[in-house]
Amino acid sequence: DILIQAGSILTDTAQLSTGSFGQGNAGILFLEADSISITNGSSLQSSTSGIGNAGTVLLNSKGNVEVIG
């Protein structure tokens, strides 16, 4: 699991991911902030290539959530 808590979160060409490549489930990607901006081709993902389920991507913001480009 990945948990990021901050006053604000800005990603710029970033890739944040959880994954499972064997047997088992992928983890949770959780971002929590007053504002979240995902920009310039950034990606948030959870995947699996084996037996199991992809994880969950959660965004929790008290303010704005922007997804641009």
Side-chain angles (χ1 to χ4, degrees):
D1 294 346
I2 298 173
L3 168 62
I4 300 174
Q5 294 175 307
S8 64
I9 296 172
L10 167 64
T11 64
D12 186 354
T13 64
Q15 294 183 352
L16 300 172
S17 64
T18 63
S20 173
F21 300 99
Q23 192 171 15
N25 297 330
I28 297 169
L29 174 57
F30 183 34
L31 304 180
E32 182 173 46
D34 293 335
S35 65
I36 299 172
S37 296
I38 302 165
T39 63
N40 292 327
S42 293
S43 67
L44 309 175
Q45 62 183 339
S46 183
S47 62
T48 184
S49 61
I51 298 172
N53 297 314
T56 303
V57 176
L58 300 169
L59 304 178
N60 185 20
S61 176
K62 295 177 184 176
N64 295 331
V65 174
E66 297 180 310
V67 179
I68 303 170

